[in-house]
Amino acid sequence: MLLRQLISEGTATVSQAFPEREAREMVLLYLGYALGTSRHTHIIEPSYEVSDVHASDAMKAFARMAAGEPIQYIIGMAYFYGREFLVTPDVLIPRPETELLCREVIDWTDSYGLPSGGLRIADLCTGSGCIAWTLALELPGTEVLAVDISDGALDVAAGQSFGKDGCKSPSFFKADVLAGPQDRFGTFDVMVSNPPYVMESEKAMMRKNVLEHEPELALFVPDNDPLIFYRAVADWAKKLLKPGGLCFVEINESLGEETADVFRDRGFKDVQVVKDLSERDRFVRAIQDFS
Ligand SMILES: C[S@@+](CC[C@H](N)C(=O)[O-])C[C@H]1O[C@@H](n2cnc3c(N)ncnc32)[C@H](O)[C@@H]1O
């Protein structure tokens, strides 16, 4: 089959569920990944042929997209902070707002200065390891330790292929963040977390493809205790952050000040709610007191 024919048939299939422009982008992304073609191959080489096997695999993939399966799970990859991360249905697909979390932490380290022996960063609820690896890669010499409760997620995080890219690979451990801070991990200059924070009652507002395909364990908290992970993360930070160290967490936009209060109540200083690019309350930053 000709590539250009495959693109138009694929776009027609995926447009059953998405606007045509978005459907075409998804088709081009899939084909680039599966065949190594560029967005312009079908224009520059109008007679470019795709083998029957590849065309049939592609049409199956397009049918999965039309049924609502996220393209990142189909190709097994998601972009985050300009890099390709492996993803499986065991991990949340990294979100653009979480890139901002990394940016804020990297910017903050400029003012903090580099401790002798290098920075130590902890990432609680690491999922695909997108935050842990990004900080390790962007802050060379930094030691990053990351934990998650899911074996599947830890396999994905540890299996990312950046180990040879000139950074210290993060260390990944299985731990239940809700079970309280673990001294065995030592102390840290920075503690970050993007924990589960979607309330069960918010399910109704969520897109079907998220609900049906992304792991429940990564997303939801009970309506009657939506800040459960923030109290736990604040306890880890209180115990394991060095004086002057930064705790930076992604939050539920409807609970900005309530989440900040969790940190204020524990004696952190300079506690602030930080907005994302859409002006929504998206993060809380807190500094460990010196006393
Ligand atoms: C919102 S996802 C975030 C993943 C990743 N940090 C990101 O930003 O894409 C939350 C993660 O918390 C993990 N998790 C859920 N309950 C946990 C617990 N009690 N202890 C540790 N990790 C937990 C899930 O497995 C999931 O990987």
Side-chain angles (χ1 to χ4, degrees):
M1 182 189 257
L2 289 175
L3 176 62
R4 57 197 167 88
Q5 214 177 333
L6 183 59
I7 293 171
S8 61
E9 284 187 26
T11 304
T13 302
V14 182
S15 331
Q16 290 162 17
F18 293 90
E20 190 174 337
R21 210 186 155 108
E22 198 178 332
R24 190 176 169 82
E25 287 303 316
M26 290 162 75
V27 165
L28 291 172
L29 176 61
Y30 171 84
L31 292 172
Y33 202 74
L35 306 178
T37 49
S38 84
R39 323 177 40 83
H40 306 299
T41 305
H42 60 294
I43 301 167
I44 301 163
E45 296 179 60
S47 56
Y48 190 103
E49 281 277 349
V50 180
S51 71
D52 289 349
V53 175
H54 281 137
S56 148
D57 287 350
M59 286 312 291
K60 282 183 204 145
F62 300 147
R64 287 165 67 188
M65 289 176 207
E69 193 171 340
I71 186 172
Q72 292 89 342
Y73 290 147
I74 295 171
I75 63 178
M77 184 276 286
Y79 287 105
F80 185 81
Y81 219 89
R83 299 187 179 89
E84 291 185 4
F85 280 79
L86 301 174
V87 291
T88 72
D90 280 318
V91 299
L92 189 85
I93 297 167
R95 304 294 204 265
E97 49 270 30
T98 310
E99 295 179 321
L100 199 55
L101 178 151
C102 294
R103 175 83 265 151
E104 293 273 346
V105 170
I106 292 161
D107 288 349
W108 179 84
T109 59
D110 286 343
S111 60
Y112 182 70
L114 199 60
S116 60
L119 277 175
R120 290 197 84 231
I121 297 181
D123 173 23
L124 308 183
C125 302
T126 193
S128 62
C130 58
I131 301 174
W133 278 105
T134 299
L135 295 177
L137 287 157
E138 296 293 323
L139 299 167
T142 297
E143 186 185 343
V144 182
L145 184 146
V147 306
D148 202 285
I149 201 169
S150 155
D151 290 316
L154 289 166
D155 285 346
V156 173
Q160 303 291 354
S161 55
F162 308 114
K164 295 181 213 83
D165 291 3
C167 72
K168 270 192 210 171
S169 298
S171 312
F172 294 97
F173 294 92
K174 182 168 181 164
D176 179 356
V177 167
L178 299 178
Q182 299 193 18
D183 292 337
R184 67 180 170 124
F185 294 134
T187 57
F188 297 93
D189 303 284
V190 177
M191 191 165 284
V192 289
S193 185
N194 176 20
Y197 60 69
V198 183
M199 288 182 270
E200 293 282 343
S201 56
E202 291 173 321
K203 267 188 182 174
M205 293 181 292
M206 292 179 75
R207 284 165 59 159
K208 191 166 150 261
N209 62 343
V210 174
L211 284 176
E212 287 183 356
H213 297 281
E214 301 209 55
E216 285 233 346
L217 182 64
L219 290 168
F220 296 108
V221 286
D223 279 359
N224 64 4
D225 196 4
L227 300 179
I228 181 169
F229 278 95
Y230 297 97
R231 290 199 307 278
V233 170
D235 289 343
W236 279 70
K238 196 75 220 160
K239 183 126 197 229
L240 301 181
L241 260 189
K242 296 177 193 171
L246 169 75
C247 185
F248 203 86
V249 293
E250 191 169 321
I251 62 164
N252 185 320
E253 67 186 79
S254 64
L255 297 170
E257 284 306 321
E258 292 89 334
T259 312
D261 284 342
V262 168
F263 289 86
R264 291 185 187 111
D265 291 348
R266 283 163 178 74
F268 288 89
K269 60 179 188 137
D270 298 338
V271 178
Q272 286 170 25
V273 178
V274 179
K275 292 186 186 301
D276 63 19
L277 299 174
S278 317
E279 287 298 302
R280 285 189 282 243
D281 289 351
R282 181 58 63 204
F283 310 102
V284 165
R285 82 191 279 283
I287 302 293
Q288 178 83 303
D289 205 354
F290 282 90
S291 55

